[in-house]
Amino acid sequence: NVVTTSSSFNITAVANASSTKVSGTGTINFSNNSAVVSIKTTAESGASATYKVKVNKVSSVLTVNQVVSKMAVKISGSNMYGISPDVAVSTLVKTVTSNGGTASVTNSAGKAKTSGVLATGDKITIKGTNDNKTFVISIRGDASGDGKVSIVDLLKVQKHILGKGNLSGAFMYGGDTNYDGKITIVDLLKIQKHILGKGNL
């Protein structure tokens, strides 16, 4: 992706071996804001290879960090949290798109996920203009990774507090409902109230 207002660009290529001939370089014109450049190398032996490069004309460069900064989520390393229960996959993807990026979601097994609700352990890959990053998703209250907030999550949080289980990574963020960096009785009560319909996460 090249930030330019010009209708063309210049491309050069240098072969590793001085005896190899290179063609396809020079001034290339954009067509509908993109161009595919074919660079051909011909060795002294006559063997040849063609390398293709797609060049896109863009008005600005938007990084993944800039896209994410416009979203109502929290980031810590490769973890994305601060997402409420029952958020659809399509909703998060549209949020990325509306902020200038593109996104795809996979489940914890690495299979593409295009419908349904997000679950703790799902992964989202966000692409900016020239970069991309993958984040592990955490849903507030979903400490089990099934995409729901239920008695299962309540028990997992309880075991963690009692030292009979350990929630880490994305699942720790799922159990830490108030995002104070630890899982306590406060989080347990928040999940309980959500399950009983006396509060929302």
Side-chain angles (χ1 to χ4, degrees), residues 14-164:
V14 178
N16 285 333
S18 59
S19 58
T20 299
K21 295 179 180 178
V22 179
S23 62
T25 60
T27 301
I28 309 293
N29 293 317
F30 284 111
S31 175
N32 294 322
N33 294 326
S34 70
V36 176
V37 181
S38 294
I39 299 171
K40 185 178 181 180
T41 60
T42 305
E44 193 173 15
S45 65
S48 65
T50 301
Y51 303 87
K52 292 189 176 183
V53 181
K54 184 176 182 182
V55 180
N56 298 308
K57 177 180 177 180
V58 296
S59 57
S60 63
V61 172
L62 194 63
T63 67
V64 170
N65 288 344
Q66 289 172 318
V67 173
V68 171
S69 70
K70 298 177 184 178
M71 299 167 59
V73 295
K74 298 178 183 294
I75 300 293
S76 176
S78 62
N79 293 290
M80 176 182 287
Y81 61 105
I83 303 172
S84 300
D86 301 319
V87 172
V89 172
S90 58
T91 299
L92 187 59
V93 171
K94 285 177 183 176
T95 300
V96 173
T97 303
S98 67
N99 286 300
T102 58
S104 59
V105 176
T106 58
N107 63 19
S108 57
K111 186 178 178 181
K113 187 171 181 177
T114 57
S115 61
V117 297
L118 295 164
T120 296
D122 287 347
K123 293 181 179 180
I124 183 168
T125 298
I126 300 176
K127 294 182 179 180
T129 309
N130 291 322
D131 65 341
N132 66 83
K133 289 184 181 180
T134 299
F135 300 96
V136 182
I137 293 169
S138 292
I139 303 302
R140 189 183 293 122
D142 177 20
S144 63
D146 63 359
K148 299 177 285 187
V149 179
S150 67
I151 190 70
V152 174
D153 304 295
L154 196 67
L155 291 173
K156 281 190 171 288
V157 168
Q158 186 180 51
K159 284 182 179 180
H160 179 91
I161 294 169
L162 295 173
K164 295 181 178 180

